[in-house]
Amino acid sequence: MERKVAIVGAGISGLLACKYTLLKGFHPIIFESRNSIGGVWTTTVECTKLQTPKDVYRFSDFPWPPSVTEEFPSQRQVLDYLQSYAYHFDLLRHIRLNTKVISISYEGPSDEEMRAWTLWGGTGEPFGSRGKWIVTVQDSQNFSTEAYQVDFLILCVGRFSDIPNIPEFPPDKGPEAFQGKVIHSMDYSAMDYADAVEFVKEKKVAVVGFQKSALDIAMECSTANDVQRPCTVIYRTEHWNVPDYIPWGVPLGYLYENRFAELLLHKPGEGFLLGLLASLLAPLRWGFSKFVESYIKWKLQLGKFNMVPKHSFLQEMSSCLFSTVPEDFYCRVEKGSLKLKKTRSFSFCKDGVLIDGEAEPLMADLVILATGFRGIEKLKNIFVSPLFQKYIAEPTDTIVPFYRECIHTRIPQLAVIGFSESASNMYTSEMRCRWLAELLDGTFKPPSIEEMEKDIAEWDKFMKRYSGPYYRRSCIAAVNIWHNDQLCKDMGWNPKRKKGFIAELFEPYGPLDYANPR
């Protein structure tokens, strides 16, 4: 029987989902609202580079071309790599570009019947609930609409696009009070490179935020205007942005991306002995953090700029907040073409930005809000069903309940890939797509809804424990191997992928370790 699978989004996760469902004999179709594949890599600022070394950020069965010699390829190189992957595996014929999904609705059992289920989809089978998804799409060029009926739906919409996170302001103190211009980083990234330079040139620019997009945009504004019109970075919290991945000569992977590093943590669902070991090794866990922090403080001279974070590097990593700081960022701060302004809150007035605790406003012509995106809201809004919307968005103080970070326990015939983050999202998404393909093919069944929700609660507890106040609801960076072990066991693979005890314990894990099932 022909099984139709709809995939929303042609970014990394969408391409992987297409490839692995094809290998199992399904009939996928990808809906992509943009005119190109590549997801978030299609529109970025000019200086954007890969955040992780390319050897870790790669497909398991498709190497980077020899022409890419840089450890951190540029946006254009990453996009070319993704497009080459799609060509190589003949995925383009399954993709509909310029096709925006405007709604998805489920036709099948009633809400009351679904609430009574004890197994996912009623039977524990991916196609066993007698339902169909209706995916309504709109052509972005002629605005015509069309509806597709499919057996399974895979959402690969990501968290970092489409719906910007705009801070809330007191009455009459929002962007409407400002005589200059206020835009989100999403709008800036969508500009042509030359247009972006012209847009910020000879303007007093303030950039709000201290994550990667904020730093990249601030660097471009600094390049355009230098010390004549310094760019001010307004931030609330200092972060451990790394200058490189070799603190004191030790590759970061040997400190955080191997099995020994994960023995130092209390992992979700671990047994008594592993828990005891993690408690005994707590001082070493603290020492690893201090080792990395000391290097970052020394390399970037953070004390000189009063930029030493108050939280640990482990918290930074456990929250998926760490990134690489652009080269010469703090040199420009010292030179004066970049200024740093810390504040708990800010608002707007006619002439610029009102900084909490300061009498005079920060004068500005342009404010760029690099304040992130509302990923959960985007995911929720795609559903027609109020019940499914509620399942996605509530409660707000826990992780979104995706078992194995892939399937919602209460929504049948649906998977979400690429919503949860890790230290290297590409190979994490690839493992999840392989897991999903095996699930669809009947290799295994998920446990009961009750068991899945208990497992999810354990993961939520873990994330809150190590992220602390920086908890962002979906980050497995500190226990990526533990997560992959669970996927492997479900699929019937041996989770131990290295040769020999020492290698298994101390060598970093990466995409090539999972290239072949075994």
Side-chain angles (χ1 to χ4, degrees), residues 307-413:
M307 291 299 291
V308 178
K310 294 178 176 59
H311 57 279
S312 70
F313 182 77
L314 177 60
Q315 275 189 315
E316 191 89 30
M317 184 170 182
S318 298
S319 309
C320 290
L321 288 173
F322 77 101
S323 61
T324 55
V325 66
E327 189 176 355
D328 296 331
F329 180 86
Y330 285 102
C331 292
R332 297 192 186 195
V333 175
E334 188 168 28
K335 177 184 174 184
S337 62
L338 282 173
K339 293 183 180 294
L340 302 174
K341 180 74 70 173
K342 182 175 181 176
T343 181
R344 292 178 60 186
S345 63
F346 72 97
S347 57
F348 289 92
C349 64
K350 179 181 177 182
D351 297 321
V353 181
L354 294 169
I355 302 296
D356 182 40
E358 295 189 8
E360 295 298 319
L362 173 68
M363 307 297 283
D365 303 310
L366 169 66
V367 177
I368 302 175
L369 302 173
T371 47
F373 295 85
R374 298 183 184 273
I376 291 176
E377 186 175 331
K378 178 175 70 168
L379 193 60
K380 180 194 80 170
N381 290 346
I382 203 170
F383 293 97
V384 169
S385 165
L387 180 64
F388 290 172
Q389 290 183 349
K390 182 179 179 180
Y391 284 155
I392 292 295
E394 298 177 10
T396 58
D397 61 345
T398 65
I399 59 174
V400 181
F402 295 137
Y403 179 67
R404 301 292 194 246
E405 302 293 343
C406 293
I407 60 173
H408 195 289
T409 59
R410 300 283 177 174
I411 304 179
Q413 296 164 253

Side-chain angles (χ1 to χ4, degrees), residues 122-181:
T123 64
E125 301 279 356
F127 304 105
S129 61
R130 312 187 313 277
K132 299 282 187 180
W133 285 102
I134 307 300
V135 183
T136 304
V137 303
Q138 182 180 65
D139 189 298
S140 303
Q141 296 173 320
N142 61 28
F143 303 106
S144 62
T145 61
E146 191 173 356
Y148 290 80
Q149 186 183 79
V150 298
D151 301 290
F152 200 89
L153 178 66
I154 308 175
L155 299 180
C156 302
V157 295
R159 297 177 64 182
F160 304 109
S161 62
D162 298 330
I163 299 182
N165 177 43
I166 305 298
E168 295 183 0
F169 300 97
D172 302 320
K173 289 190 176 182
E176 72 282 353
F178 180 44
Q179 67 179 0
K181 193 170 183 63

Side-chain angles (χ1 to χ4, degrees), residues 418-442:
F419 190 81
S420 169
E421 301 172 78
S422 74
S424 180
N425 289 330
M426 180 178 283
Y427 103 80
T428 301
S429 283
E430 182 165 14
M431 283 298 293
R432 291 170 183 168
C433 286
R434 297 174 87 166
W435 180 90
L436 178 60
E438 296 295 341
L439 172 66
L440 296 182
D441 200 38

